[in-house]
Amino acid sequence: MQRLAIAGEAIAGTTKKLLKTGIVADYLKSRTEDEAAVSAVFLSGRAFPAWEETTMQIGGRALWRIVAELAEKSETDLTESYRRHGDLGAVAGEILPERAGQGVSALEVEAAFRQIAAARGPAAKAALVRDLISRATPLEAKYIIKIMTGDLRIGLKESLVEDAIARAYAATLPQVQRANMLLGDIGQTLRLALEGKLDDAQMRLFHPIGFMLASPIESTEEGLSYFSEAAVEDKYDGIRAQAHVANGEVKFFSRTRDEITESFPELPDALAGLEQDAILDGEIVAWEYPRNIRDTQEVVDEAASGASSDENASEDEKTRADEDKAVNLGRARPFSVLQQRLGRKKVSEKMLREIPVAFLAFDVLYAGGELLMDRPLRERAGILDGLLSERKVIHHRVTETQRNAKQARLVFEDSEPEDDSELEHPEHEENQTRAASVIRVPVFRASSAEELEDLFVAAQARGNEGLMIKDLDSSYTPGKRGKAWLKMKRELATLDVVVTAVEYGHGRRIGVLSDYTFAVWDGDKLVNIGKAYSGLTDVEIAEMTQWFLEHTIPDRNSEAQGFRLQVEPKIVLEVAFNNMMRSDRHESGYALRFPRIVRLRPDKSAEDADTIERAREIFERQAK
Ligand code: AMP
């Protein structure tokens, strides 16, 4: 461990990445395979491989006390040293006494970490930590504590350790990255690299892998600037989850790679019927199911199979389904509702009934023995559609579970069935049970900024956060935040503004005045602050067009006539936006990002509109 700590000090001593990876590579090569494997895990700032859920559960306070005790120092001394370093590991390195015979190997440290994790109760854990630290040299203790607190602070990320492994064992970085991604274990990756077998790394089900992340965008134009074909989905406000399915067994993992199946006992059944082993990516949300149980089931199944309507559905349902499937599936409830379901080991029947959830699947990483991450999204999307449509009908499965384990019963009606015979009755199943659903996230297409804005408004009207815009040609890159997935989120605030000028629209909106320039008050003067062209219904736009044509003000700039019309400042709109910036595009000195019309405010007169002071307030609040 002393060697690892010395390497750590050298790594911390340089900011050059190449030097850092060189030091790690040399260190790893100088160790035995076992020691190098454990060290690779430690150097990426972890006590255990990423896929493992093992944690030591030893609090910072307890560590602090142990260090103080072993150093025979007061809390004040420790605080003084902590102020200088801001890192308990460094404090320990400075104040712990050096004694003869100290020294532990990296393998001994690993064994001790596992013992600590397995020990029950804070006292037993603390005794083991005390023993480990007292056996270590002060420098070793410094690194042991850094690893225990999960923060090495030597400017070394796992990606640099991957780089070092590639250098040490003559492999390519992509080979190492891929193996590490599949295994979720940098130590195991190192072993394969050493044996020249990196390409043998296989996907391991029930070992969560990294999640692909999205980058925020600043404008709708930006949303379409990185790729030619975009898949657009609602951005649901829940928690990200990776579902692993094999032979009817289902587990869900969170973004922190923790298993969260226990918190959602109703979800596994919904996926257990998959025809193939699979890993799906999606979002768990609190879900408001349509009133009638049969509606949900039919619409979910129908959406999964891609059919546009169902024979048994009423006319009304058919129309609605065609109009907007995303709404018919039910809708997401706010995150604050889901929050009540998080972090629970036991979920009461009441909770299950009052806060049902759904798993909204939007990607597939693995299915039927094949790793799909390198395939383009357009192919993965097709595979996901197929997988979910082939799955066995959910509520049968739930009922089966109910028969096997009555305690797992998921009955969403007020009165619970009395006995099993009732449960076995098919009609009863359909009428009384509602399986938690796995819903294929509806995918839209957009090829213009205007279409994107319309989708954004529709997503928000469904109560969702915004949009995810995804490159149909992109592969799935775990743990990376790139430009293949873009996110467009909820507004920052809304302003009531007065329309000062209008323009004819484009595309579908040719011939109607649909683009509005609007202003806020600066004293008794209106100053323009933005322009928006979405959010109103066609009927509203038609009515507004009529009104504006009757209330134009002759423009001094005659060339602009017919294109941009100045109008009497009477119409008040509520506009939402995501961001505000300083800009000289408009007189107000500000511009809005993603401005969109939330609604007309016929209840307000122009004098009631917002002021430049309020705009400034919003701008300043956002800067905080
Ligand atoms: P953020 O948390 O703001 O970085 O936004 C990215 C997150 O949005 C993802 O990690 C998911 O948890 C969530 N999300 C919601 N809907 C989707 C979707 N359709 N596709 C991908 N991610 C989504």
Side-chain angles (χ1 to χ4, degrees), residues 10 75 102 149 168 241 272 313 409 471 489 497 500 511 556 572 587:
E75 294 258 330
Q102 282 173 326
T149 50
R409 194 156 65 195
D471 181 358
K489 282 221 249 183
V497 296
T500 54
R556 265 164 283 135
V572 180
E587 259 178 297

Side-chain angles (χ1 to χ4, degrees), residues 214 233-236 239-240 255 283 362 441 468 470 481 485 487 489:
E233 298 161 0
D234 282 19
K235 183 174 191 303
Y236 299 89
I239 57 160
R240 186 79 175 268
R255 220 171 116 167
E283 187 91 350
F362 49 70
V441 165
M468 298 293 301
K470 302 177 180 177
R481 196 181 294 284
W485 282 18
K487 61 184 178 191
K489 282 221 249 183

Side-chain angles (χ1 to χ4, degrees), residues 23 55 72 276 531:
I23 297 165
T55 52
E72 294 172 14
Q276 298 177 336
K531 188 172 153 183

Side-chain angles (χ1 to χ4, degrees), residues 58-164:
I58 181 108
R61 255 326 314 139
L63 276 177
W64 185 276
R65 265 198 305 271
I66 291 166
V67 171
E69 209 182 291
L70 289 173
E72 294 172 14
K73 297 267 185 201
S74 69
E75 294 258 330
T76 333
D77 293 336
L78 239 71
T79 313
E80 195 270 320
S81 169
Y82 189 80
R83 275 213 197 99
R84 264 181 292 120
H85 300 290
D87 172 5
L88 186 59
V91 172
E94 183 179 85
I95 68 167
L96 283 172
E98 205 139 352
R99 287 198 204 95
Q102 282 173 326
V104 284
S105 73
L107 289 172
E108 284 173 294
V109 174
E110 201 236 13
F113 281 170
R114 291 205 179 273
Q115 278 183 332
I116 296 165
R120 292 188 165 262
K125 285 179 191 285
L128 289 164
V129 176
R130 198 176 297 111
D131 175 61
L132 172 64
I133 296 184
S134 64
R135 285 191 288 131
T137 67
L139 187 61
E140 287 171 347
K142 172 175 179 175
Y143 280 82
I144 290 170
I145 290 176
K146 277 171 177 280
I147 295 164
M148 292 185 81
T149 50
D151 196 356
L152 280 182
R153 299 201 196 191
I154 53 174
L156 191 69
K157 287 191 302 210
E158 184 161 290
S159 56
L160 290 184
V161 181
E162 289 176 336
D163 219 342

Side-chain angles (χ1 to χ4, degrees), residues 442-459:
V443 184
F444 309 99
R445 292 290 168 92
S447 48
S448 70
E450 200 180 359
E451 281 169 6
L452 212 49
E453 297 235 10
D454 286 348
L455 287 174
F456 186 75
V457 173

